[in-house]
């Protein structure tokens, strides 16, 4: 990743992938053969969407910390800017990753 934009995209894409595969894999295992029909329930679908968004935010946070730590280790001169870089990357990745979703992850 050569730019901040590349890093933001990486965090948003990989955070979403990890969140979706983790949550939906777990749900499929727990629900078994009723997996597809349970999503017909609108209330359940809203809860799953919120859970997915919350897991995504956690994944984005982990990926941000990892990437910024790697940058700081590989380029020590950037270490003083690491907190600001982390904040910028995380905010943008979460904004991009949750774009179009009607969820509130603040609570």
């Amino acid at each position: 990743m050569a730019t901040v934009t590349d890093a933001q995209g990486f965090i948003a894409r990989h955070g979403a992938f990890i969140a979706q595969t983790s949550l939906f894999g777990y749900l499929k295992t727990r629900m078994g053969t009723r997996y597809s029909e349970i999503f017909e329930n609108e209330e359940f679908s809203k809860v799953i969407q919120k859970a997915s968004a919350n897991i995504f935010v956690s994944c984005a946070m982990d990926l941000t910390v990892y990437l910024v730590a790697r940058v700081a280790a590989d380029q020590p001169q950037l270490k003083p800017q690491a907190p600001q870089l982390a904040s910028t990357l995380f905010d943008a990745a979460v904004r991009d990753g949750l774009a179009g979703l009607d969820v509130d992850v603040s609570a």
Side-chain angles (χ1 to χ4, degrees), residues 28-38:
K28 192 171 185 177
T29 299
R30 296 293 296 164
M31 292 177 194
T33 57
R34 295 187 52 216
Y35 175 75
S36 59
E37 68 188 58
I38 203 79

Side-chain angles (χ1 to χ4, degrees), residues 25-54:
Y26 173 78
L27 290 173
K28 192 171 185 177
T29 299
R30 296 293 296 164
M31 292 177 194
T33 57
R34 295 187 52 216
Y35 175 75
S36 59
E37 68 188 58
I38 203 79
F39 285 94
E40 294 171 8
N41 180 320
E42 188 175 320
E43 190 66 27
F44 182 77
S45 291
K46 286 179 185 178
V47 170
I48 295 304
Q49 185 177 29
K50 181 169 172 84
S52 181
N54 284 325

